Amino acid sequence: MLKTKIAVLVSGGGTNLQALIDAQKDGVLRSGEIVLVISGVEGAYALTRAENAGIPTAVCSRRDSVSQEAFEASICRELEGACAELIVLAGFMSILSEDFTRKYENRIINIHPSLIPSFCGKGFYGLRVHEAALDYGVKVTGATVHFVNEIPDGGEIILQKAVEVLPGDTPEELQRRVMEQAEWVLLPKAAELVSAKIAAGKGE
Ligand code: GRF
């Protein structure tokens, strides 16, 4: 079977990217193959993780681009150069326009560290998501992998996993638990699910 070619877009430490790399090694991710890692930030540790795994890398920075169009054109060039068929957003911090998400409809997935539709949308990123969950007082939170469309965190849900909030949790502790118990398990599973579908659609 021809594997689905995956590009992973990152901006930070890349623990979710690492989970994908490990899943590929362990055979959890078997219908897809990571062919490219694009970072929105120069020097992101995620780039080192990719290099250590022998995966080609590129940097496309919004700040160093003259416009959103130029920024997205540079991403598209990299994606096309690598013949990427599935885009995984794994902590990618730059906004992608409707033009971009339309172009790759049902081909972009994202991991969000809450149970959508709670604590998601504009302004809910990083630690803020966990701060909001703690402020509200929910006893269960989690992570969601969803398709990306023009609405922030608004695309169709692919997989979700719940995680307990414990008394006295700090945002950092909760963030860590959500990553360990949900994100690092869920993202590889979802990448496999979608990769398998794309691969099947190729008739292989
Ligand atoms: C994760 O919490 C993910 O849910 C969010 O950004 C963070 C990325 O962390 N979208 P890492 O770079 O994968 O370690």
Side-chain angles (χ1 to χ4, degrees), residues 60-74 77:
C60 298
S61 146
R62 173 64 185 93
R63 231 184 26 191
D64 296 341
S65 307
V66 290
S67 63
Q68 182 70 20
E69 290 71 26
F71 168 58
E72 291 180 357
S74 70
R77 264 197 306 278

Side-chain angles (χ1 to χ4, degrees), residues 139-142 162-166 169 174 177-178 181:
K139 303 303 176 206
V140 173
T141 183
V163 173
E164 236 186 312
V165 180
L166 298 181
D169 265 350
L174 186 55
R177 190 175 317 114
V178 168
Q181 293 185 8

Side-chain angles (χ1 to χ4, degrees), residues 74-114:
S74 70
I75 297 176
C76 288
R77 264 197 306 278
E78 294 294 342
L79 293 172
E80 281 157 22
C83 299
E85 299 161 292
L86 171 63
I87 302 165
V88 178
L89 306 184
F92 187 63
M93 293 301 285
S94 301
I95 286 164
L96 296 167
S97 72
E98 188 169 344
D99 279 350
F100 188 94
T101 57
R102 282 250 168 95
K103 181 167 177 185
Y104 295 100
E105 204 179 352
N106 292 323
R107 293 299 177 105
I108 314 175
I109 66 173
N110 179 51
I111 177 99
H112 181 78
S114 77

Side-chain angles (χ1 to χ4, degrees), residues 16-44:
N16 280 289
L17 168 65
Q18 191 64 54
L20 290 165
I21 293 170
D22 294 346
Q24 196 171 296
K25 238 179 275 161
D26 299 345
V28 172
L29 176 53
R30 53 190 179 280
S31 307
E33 172 189 17
I34 307 167
V35 295
L36 175 67
V37 170
I38 301 178
S39 175
V41 176
E42 195 125 15

